[in-house]
């Protein structure tokens, strides 16, 4: 009953980050101990002194000490009746108070101006925000590709964290309105904990240095193995075919070459100018009903070893199969109805997002759906 009430009132425990910066914060706050000890010592010293020297109760002695020590007032109590010893004691307390307060303020300002404490407080706040993310992407290294991808992710409402350790990264992150970012070397274990990689869906590594991308892929796979979780979907950039091969051998799922993509695009534009904006108009835009997606046919699917035409996709879910990739990598473009659907092959279908989801549900069934029989 209490559990249901907590759920109804949203009293669930806030997710905790994988790492705590309490130790680092304590190290930064440790220097504040001396000013606090001095203030407490002189307050205690002054209170006891006035209790002994004057006919004060505890609260009066503390009040007299407080405004005398801080030099914020005088004359509220019976200062005109002070004896010589009390006057001397008060003068000493005032001088010590001025010195301690000046020292404390200067000391605190030096710690604050150092910037480390403020940075840690901001980082701790950011780490707790990131801890709420689930199935997000961790984008490693900030550059022009990161800026464009972040904009696309924001428009598509895909959660992401950007991790980089460049000097001006914080200013750049704020300029480009990254909702979540971590200032650290992406491949380090600490950065992975701060970015809540344990709950991430995938990683994108955009370094222009091949060694950074390789290190990131290897580190992510080791971290994944350490957690014993399902594999991350890792995307990395490469400047050459050799780099691309290395990254794929090390476990990168997709490797993107900006120069190759640009060359392919320009080549397509040169050969077929009328097709220049086809992808932008129908696939990359989010306000279009048309979508293109690959669907994996599981082993248990009723469609395995059946002819493609037996699924009646066009009639039942209103999608078209424009490609089929066999398990061995063989690709069949525009497969005909007599093509046999093998286990774990991939069907490239085109249609609306809703119809593609319906097609997935149709393929995932173990028994042949009734609606197919009535077509």
């Amino acid at each position: 009953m209490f559990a249901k009430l907590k759920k109804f009132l949203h009293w669930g425990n806030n997710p905790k980050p994988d790492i705590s910066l309490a130790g680092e914060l304590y190290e930064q706050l440790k220097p504040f101990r001396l000013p606090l000890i001095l203030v407490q010592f002189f307050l205690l010293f002054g209170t006891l002194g006035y209790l002994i020297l004057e006919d004060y109760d505890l609260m009066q002695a503390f009040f007299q000490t407080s405004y005398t020590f801080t030099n914020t007032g005088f004359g509220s109590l019976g200062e005109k009746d002070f004896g010589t010893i009390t006057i001397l004691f008060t003068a000493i307390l005032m001088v010590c108070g001025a010195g301690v307060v000046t020292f404390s303020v200067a000391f605190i300002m030096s710690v604050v101006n150092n910037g480390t404490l403020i940075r840690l407080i901001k980082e701790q706040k950011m780490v707790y925000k990131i801890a709420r993310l689930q199935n997000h992407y961790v984008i490693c290294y900030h550059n022009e590709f990161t800026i464009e991808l972040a904009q696309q992710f924001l428009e598509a409402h895909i959660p992401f964290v950007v991790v980089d350790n460049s000097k001006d990264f914080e200013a750049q992150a704020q300029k480009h309105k990254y909702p979540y970012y971590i200032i650290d070397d992406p491949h380090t274990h600490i950065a992975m904990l701060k970015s809540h990689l344990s709950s991430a869906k995938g990683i994108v590594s955009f370094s222009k240095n091949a060694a950074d991308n390789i290190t990131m892929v290897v580190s992510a796979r080791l971290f994944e193995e350490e957690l014993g979780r399902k594999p991350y979907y890792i995307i990395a950039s490469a400047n050459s075919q050799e780099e691309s091969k290395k990254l794929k051998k090390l476990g990168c799922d997709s490797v993107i070459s900006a120069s190759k993509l640009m060359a392919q695009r320009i080549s397509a534009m040169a050969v077929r100018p009328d097709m220049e904006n086809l992808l932008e108009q129908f696939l990359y835009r989010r306000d279009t009903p048309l979508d293109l997606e690959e669907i994996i046919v599981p082993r248990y699917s009723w469609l395995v070893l059946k002819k493609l035409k037996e699924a009646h996709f066009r009639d039942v879910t209103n999608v078209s199969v424009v490609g089929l990739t066999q398990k061995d990598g063989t690709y069949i473009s525009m497969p005909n109805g007599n093509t046999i659907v093998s286990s774990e092959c991939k069907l490239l279908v085109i249609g609306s997002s809703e119809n593609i989801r319906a097609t997935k549900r149709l393929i995932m069934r173990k028994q042949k759906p009734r609606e197919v029989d009535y077509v």
Side-chain angles (χ1 to χ4, degrees):
M1 182 67 182
F2 183 68
K4 291 182 179 179
L5 181 63
K6 283 178 64 178
K7 184 177 180 181
F8 177 76
L9 296 175
H10 303 287
W11 284 356
N13 294 327
N14 291 327
K16 293 183 179 179
D18 297 331
I19 187 173
S20 174
L21 302 180
E24 296 179 53
L25 283 169
Y26 175 74
E27 289 298 321
Q28 291 298 315
L29 293 173
K30 190 186 293 185
F32 288 88
R33 292 183 301 180
L34 179 59
L36 289 173
I37 290 172
L38 288 174
V39 170
Q40 291 175 9
F41 170 77
F42 279 104
L43 286 176
L44 179 62
F45 173 72
T47 302
L48 292 175
Y50 283 118
L51 283 173
I52 295 171
L53 296 173
E54 297 295 324
D55 188 21
Y56 281 171
D57 59 27
L58 180 61
M59 289 306 299
Q60 287 177 324
F62 177 74
F63 180 59
Q64 177 76 56
T65 302
S66 298
Y67 71 68
T68 302
F69 179 72
T70 56
N71 293 277
T72 55
F74 206 73
S76 297
L77 296 176
E79 288 88 345
K80 62 181 180 179
D81 299 325
F82 280 177
T84 304
I85 297 177
T86 306
I87 292 173
L88 181 62
F89 176 79
T90 302
I92 294 172
L93 190 62
M94 292 175 70
V95 172
C96 291
V100 170
V101 170
T102 303
F103 166 76
S104 300
V105 171
F107 191 83
I108 292 171
M109 289 301 296
S110 66
V111 173
V112 173
N113 288 335
N114 184 36
T116 305
L117 178 61
I118 303 299
R119 178 185 61 80
L120 284 173
I121 293 173
K122 289 182 179 179
E123 189 174 16
Q124 179 82 327
K125 185 178 179 181
M126 181 64 70
V127 167
Y128 270 89
K129 287 182 179 179
I130 293 172
R132 301 190 186 103
L133 298 180
Q134 297 288 333
N135 293 322
H136 59 287
Y137 276 89
V138 177
I139 305 176
C140 305
Y141 305 104
H142 173 79
N143 50 42
E144 62 272 18
F145 301 121
T146 308
I147 296 170
E148 291 296 332
L149 180 61
Q151 185 63 35
Q152 295 293 323
F153 275 3
L154 286 172
E155 292 178 5
H157 303 288
I158 299 174
F160 65 93
V161 181
V162 182
V163 185
D164 193 272
N165 199 28
S166 55
K167 293 181 179 179
D168 62 338
F169 175 57
E170 184 173 10
Q172 290 294 323
Q174 294 174 354
K175 176 182 177 181
H176 298 290
K177 299 180 180 179
Y178 296 159
Y180 308 102
Y181 59 89
I182 293 295
I183 304 173
D184 213 326
D185 290 320
H187 65 273
T188 62
H189 188 74
I190 293 177
M192 294 179 183
L193 294 176
K194 289 179 181 178
S195 61
H196 201 39
L197 190 60
S198 59
S199 297
K201 182 178 181 179
I203 301 167
V204 182
S205 184
F206 271 152
S207 176
K208 295 181 179 180
N209 186 348
D212 290 337
N213 290 329
I214 290 172
T215 304
M216 190 65 238
V217 172
V218 173
S219 300
R221 290 304 182 201
L222 290 174
F223 186 74
E224 165 194 299
E225 185 178 349
E226 180 183 326
L227 294 177
R229 53 154 288 163
K230 66 179 183 180
Y232 295 113
Y233 184 69
I234 302 179
I235 306 170
S237 61
N239 298 319
S240 65
Q241 190 67 23
E242 184 180 355
E243 289 180 15
S244 178
K245 289 180 180 179
K246 287 181 180 179
L247 287 167
K248 286 186 177 180
K249 285 181 180 179
L250 291 170
C252 190
D253 296 290
S254 297
V255 181
I256 307 298
S257 173
S259 57
K260 185 177 180 180
L261 285 176
M262 182 181 293
Q264 289 175 340
R265 178 66 184 274
I266 294 174
S267 175
M269 290 166 58
V271 175
R272 293 175 293 176
D274 55 322
M275 301 292 287
E276 176 183 354
N277 295 319
L278 179 64
L279 291 178
E280 284 80 355
Q281 291 179 2
F282 295 102
L283 296 180
Y284 294 155
R285 287 176 55 185
R286 290 167 184 79
D287 56 351
T288 176
L290 192 63
D291 203 354
L292 184 69
E293 190 171 338
E294 269 191 338
I295 302 175
I296 299 177
V297 180
R299 295 180 180 179
Y300 58 81
S301 174
W302 67 273
L303 191 57
V304 174
L305 300 180
K306 299 286 194 306
K307 292 182 179 180
L308 190 59
K309 63 182 180 182
E310 295 182 44
H312 298 286
F313 288 135
R314 188 66 180 169
D315 299 311
V316 177
T317 59
N318 196 26
V319 299
S320 298
V321 179
V322 296
L324 187 149
T325 305
Q326 302 287 5
K327 189 177 180 180
D328 60 1
T330 305
Y331 179 74
I332 303 173
S333 178
M334 300 302 295
N336 58 45
N338 293 319
T339 303
I340 301 298
V341 179
S342 60
S343 172
E344 297 183 356
C345 70
K346 298 177 182 178
L347 300 179
L348 183 63
V349 299
I350 188 169
S352 68
S353 299
E354 184 179 351
N355 290 340
I356 289 177
R357 286 194 294 269
T359 304
K360 285 182 180 179
R361 292 193 294 268
L362 192 73
I363 293 174
M364 296 301 171
R365 294 187 185 180
K366 294 182 180 180
Q367 302 296 328
K368 186 177 181 180
R370 290 185 178 181
E371 54 264 37
V372 175
D373 292 329
Y374 295 118
V375 176

